[in-house]
């Protein structure tokens, strides 16, 4: 019987990556407090299941790597080895390596094999340093055994009688060993009982094996990984009289170990790579959903079926009385409620807790603070706040950037903090919570704060703001999102090159969100990111232009006004602007952009919808406003293609399709002309 | 609309019983300006009567707009306009043939509709009967033509819908709206 294992691979990848996240989180906590056995246990468990899974799927290099890791963790678990910051560091790096190995297999790309080999040998060296005599290697051979790959290995292998019953096959093991080099086997048949007592399912043989190979011990160990507990096994190196001197001298021990270790793991990785190329796996995204959500869905569908059968009764009746009409109305009301609830719970399936993003920050802060020589305490609240998976994927990078910025630019060095009378440890808060239909994510630091005057001077220096412009506090802070603007005095590899913040802003806006800044000098800065919970539904304003109906996202609309022709001025030929309070706004006639016939031409008969996108405002001229409604966004590019100025389409109540206008796209359309306008007016 | 669809399944069945054999492909034919064109029947998802569509701004005239097909937004192409034939008023036989089009890069399929004067027949045509098209003499660009077949002394033009509906303006490739940058580390 053969099972196609590839169908389970995706699950393995997901579970392994989750396991690695757990390992990482636990490792980071290990460092902070005293060693908690439960934590080491859960790290060990994660490593163990990755090892098991990867061996099942034939990802040898992962299995080999985790095996070493697991051995180390096992010793920690049993208290044979102390947890030092050094070992935590190596373990953290191992997590990185494993993650990149899994990603490499998943996406059929490559990973840093050299680094993997280095880390693996570091793990092995660490293992042999603290090697206790209790392990399988006889103490007399000492350090030389562990990973020195010399002539080969003497293996004494005595399976327990029951080994074959667990599905392990000695022939397979021997074949596998044979692949490493020349194998001499001596079988001991003394234990075979008389025929009457013979049980065919039992194993009675034992072997003395001499394997001439340059493979290291962990490779050999791997072969026996599944039968460890079901056999007597000793593995000792073959010792030649000539080499004894060299091997037993302690100085030469670590270096050859490192070199020889790299070789076998490299070859394994290479064969793996060629294998990956030949078998193309298609990757499908999946979500793990809580069972309670699925149960709720099933309940609701049940309700829906009941409502439907109730409504069906009316279809069968010939005549309907007034009372029954009342009943029918009730039924329809119930149907509406059911559908809305169903919609909400289907949406909630796509919702994931924000801890998916937050969980990467402790590690990042740990790495960054040691790199920058700052002491930072990271406090996170609201990790359970849920948001849409698509939004989650897109907000990760911008948040990383903001946190990085808070640490690099916000929090001062310990000395500086001491001078200011602050505690040496800087605080960075990450909060997430729901507010209205939005999720709000705050990044708060207690650092130096933004210096308004410095920002303004810098902006004037760069010509981003004119000398006589007067800006509000909020406007000054928003300057940091301007491309090419950086106030960092020293450009580090962490931040300060002036790229990034503008992209952060752009990404957040493209998600339909916004970002506010609050700051007090010497007290700290707060970045507040506001995002819609989902990208699938939007509050829209339906507008009419000619015979067509369009939808403008409600969030973009500032106000709608009726203007008169004499409020409008022509600039540079065909560009129309009008003065709204103290600001000149360009006018976009929607019917012109979209080439719609039979639309209203005179400003008096139509309406001007003032919209804001990409930080700029324009007036969209439409015939009339129809109404507000929630619309489900359908993409145009599944069957067609992306269009400038259009973000998608939706289906209206009557079944017809309406186009959703992409406001930032529309504003950009006008922005080039806009710049000319400003110059003309000034 | 249901009438047309129903009719089609009927002819489909009878023809299927009569002429289906091994090594043959079935084609649905439709009429454009008195000429008969054929598409692979396995690509046809459904046939609908003409109904008004939502125009998409700034697209060529032959893209009539988009239609709500049970929740999916499907673009509709007027084949007469696509082939530079003169437009006619849509009548009772005017139908939308909804087709599955394979993307050129092999990354899946998309659904599109074509407006034609009317659907005609379902034929089984042996592979060997399909002849290469001459590179002139038809109103349709030769690259869209898979071949010609003669059925009952009539010439039928077999259209390569993947090529036709992936070309030029309809192509999925687009760079305009890919403007959001990546965060630099």
């Amino acid at each position: 019987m053969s099972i196609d294992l590839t169908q389970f691979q995706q699950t393995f990848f997901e579970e392994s990556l989750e396991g690695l996240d757990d390992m990482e989180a636990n490792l980071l906590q290990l460092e902070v407090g005293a060693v908690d056995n439960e934590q080491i246990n859960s790290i060990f468990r994660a490593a163990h299941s990755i090892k098991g899974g990867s061996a099942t799927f034939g990802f040898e290099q992962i299995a080999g790597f985790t095996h070493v890791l697991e051995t180390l963790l096992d010793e920690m678990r049993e208290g044979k080895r102390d947890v030092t910051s050094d070992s935590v560091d190596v373990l953290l790096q191992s997590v990185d390596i494993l993650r990149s190995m899994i990603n490499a297999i998943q996406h059929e790309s490559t990973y840093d094999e050299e680094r993997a080999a280095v880390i693996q040998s570091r793990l092995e060296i660490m293992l042999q340093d603290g090697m206790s005599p209790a392990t399988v290697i006889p103490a007399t051979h000492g350090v030389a055994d562990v990973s020195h790959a010399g002539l080969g290995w003497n293996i004494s292998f005595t399976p327990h009688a029951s080994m074959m019953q667990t599905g392990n096959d000695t022939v397979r093991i021997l074949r596998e060993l044979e692949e490493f080099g020349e194998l001499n086997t001596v079988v001991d048949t003394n234990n075979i009982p008389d025929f009457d007592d013979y049980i065919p399912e039992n194993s009675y043989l034992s072997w003395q094996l001499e394997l001439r190979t340059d493979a290291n011990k962990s490779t050999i160990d791997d072969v026996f990984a599944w039968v460890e507990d079901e056999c007597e096994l000793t593995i000792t190196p073959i010792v030649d009289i000539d080499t004894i001197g060299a091997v037993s001298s302690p100085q030469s021990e670590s270096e050859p170990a490192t070199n020889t270790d790299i070789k076998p793991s490299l070859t394994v990785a290479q064969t793996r790579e060629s294998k990956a190329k030949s078998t193309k796996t298609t990757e499908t995204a999946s979500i793990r959903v809580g069972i309670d959500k699925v149960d709720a869905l099933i309940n609701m569908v049940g309700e829906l079926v009941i409502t439907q059968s109730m409504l069906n009764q009316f279809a069968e009746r010939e005549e309907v009385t007034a009372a029954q009409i009342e009943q029918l109305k009730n039924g329809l009301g119930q149907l509406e409620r059911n559908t809305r609830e169903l919609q909400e719970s289907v949406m909630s399936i796509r919702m994931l807790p924000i801890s998916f993003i937050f969980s990467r920050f402790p590690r990042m802060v740990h790495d960054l603070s040691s790199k920058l020589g700052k002491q930072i305490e990271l406090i996170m609240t609201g990790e359970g706040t849920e948001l849409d998976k698509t939004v989650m994927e897109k907000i990760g990078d911008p948040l990383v950037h903001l946190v990085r910025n808070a640490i690099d630019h916000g929090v001062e060095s310990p000395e500086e903090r001491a001078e200011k009378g602050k505690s040496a440890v800087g605080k960075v808060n990450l909060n997430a919570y729901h507010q209205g239909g939005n999720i709000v994510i705050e990044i708060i630091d207690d650092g130096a704060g933004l210096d308004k005057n410095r920002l303004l001077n810098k902006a004037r220096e760069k010509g981003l703001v004119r000398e006589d412009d007067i800006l509000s506090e909020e406007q000054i802070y928003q300057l940091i999102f301007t491309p090419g603007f950086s106030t960092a005095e020293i450009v580090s590899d962490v931040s300060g090159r002036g790229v990034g913040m503008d992209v952060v802003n752009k990404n957040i806006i493209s998600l339909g969100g916004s970002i506010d800044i609050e700051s007090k000098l010497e007290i700290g800065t707060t970045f507040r990111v506001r995002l819609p919970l989902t990208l699938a539904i939007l509050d829209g304003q339906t507008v009419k232009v000619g015979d067509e109906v369009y939808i403008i996202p409600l969030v973009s609309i500032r106000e709608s006004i009726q203007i008169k022709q004499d409020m409008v001025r022509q600039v540079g030929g065909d560009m129309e602007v009008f003065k709204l309070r103290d600001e000149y706004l360009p006018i976009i006639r929607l019917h012109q952009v979209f080439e719609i016939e039979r639309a209203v031409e005179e400003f008096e008969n139509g309406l001007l919808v003032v919209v804001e996108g990409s930080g700029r405002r324009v007036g969209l001229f439409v015939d009339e406003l129809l109404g507000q409604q929630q619309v489900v966004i359908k993409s145009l590019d599944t069957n067609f293609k992306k269009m400038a100025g259009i973000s998608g389409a939706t289906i209206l109540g009557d079944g017809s399709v309406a186009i959703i206008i992409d406001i930032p796209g529309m504003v950009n359309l006008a922005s080039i002309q806009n710049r000319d306008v400003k110059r003309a007016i000034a | 609309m249901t009438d047309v669809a129903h009719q089609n399944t009927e002819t489909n069945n009878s023809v299927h019983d009569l002429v289906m054999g091994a090594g043959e492909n079935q084609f649905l034919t439709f009429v454009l300006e008195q000429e008969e064109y054929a598409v692979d029947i396995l690509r046809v998802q459904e046939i609908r009567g003409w109904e008004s569509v939502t125009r998409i701004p700034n697209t060529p005239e032959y893209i009539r707009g988009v239609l709500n097909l049970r929740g999916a937004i499907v673009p509709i192409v007027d084949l007469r306009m696509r082939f530079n034939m003169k437009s006619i008023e849509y009548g009772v036989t005017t139908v939308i043939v909804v087709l599955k089009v394979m993307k050129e890069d092999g990354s899946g399929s998309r659904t599109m509709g074509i407006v034609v004067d009317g659907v005609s027949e379902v034929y089984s045509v042996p592979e060997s009967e399909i002849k290469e098209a001459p590179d002139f003499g038809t109103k349709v660009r030769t690259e869209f033509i898979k071949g010609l077949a003669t059925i009952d002394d009539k010439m039928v033009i077999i259209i390569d819908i993947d090529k036709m509906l992936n070309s030029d303006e309809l192509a999925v490739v687009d760079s305009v709206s890919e403007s959001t940058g990546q965060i630099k580390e």
Side-chain angles (χ1 to χ4, degrees), chain A residues 62 119 144 149 226 269 360 445 483 498 591 625:
Chain A
I62 297 184
I119 300 288
W226 294 98
R360 68 171 98 156
D445 66 67
H591 65 91
L625 300 185

Side-chain angles (χ1 to χ4, degrees), chain A residues 128 434 596:
Chain A
Q128 76 192 47
H434 282 159
I596 298 161

Side-chain angles (χ1 to χ4, degrees), chain A residues 356-376:
Chain A
F356 275 78
I357 297 177
F358 276 16
S359 59
R360 68 171 98 156
F361 289 125
R363 173 72 192 276
M364 198 187 98
V365 171
H366 166 256
D367 288 357
L368 257 185
S369 52
S370 56
K371 194 171 179 181
L372 296 168
K374 292 178 180 177
Q375 292 167 10
I376 288 171

Side-chain angles (χ1 to χ4, degrees), chain A residues 629-646:
Chain A
Q629 67 183 92
Q630 283 208 326
V631 296
V632 179
I633 303 172
K634 306 260 175 185
S635 94
L636 265 184
D637 49 324
T638 13
N639 288 319
F640 194 44
K641 58 172 184 176
K642 287 184 178 155
M643 301 284 304
I646 296 174

Side-chain angles (χ1 to χ4, degrees), chain A residues 106-120:
Chain A
Q106 197 176 3
H107 301 109
E108 290 174 27
S109 55
T110 51
Y111 64 95
D112 192 346
E113 288 165 11
E114 218 167 295
R115 195 170 154 228
V118 170
I119 300 288
Q120 184 162 356

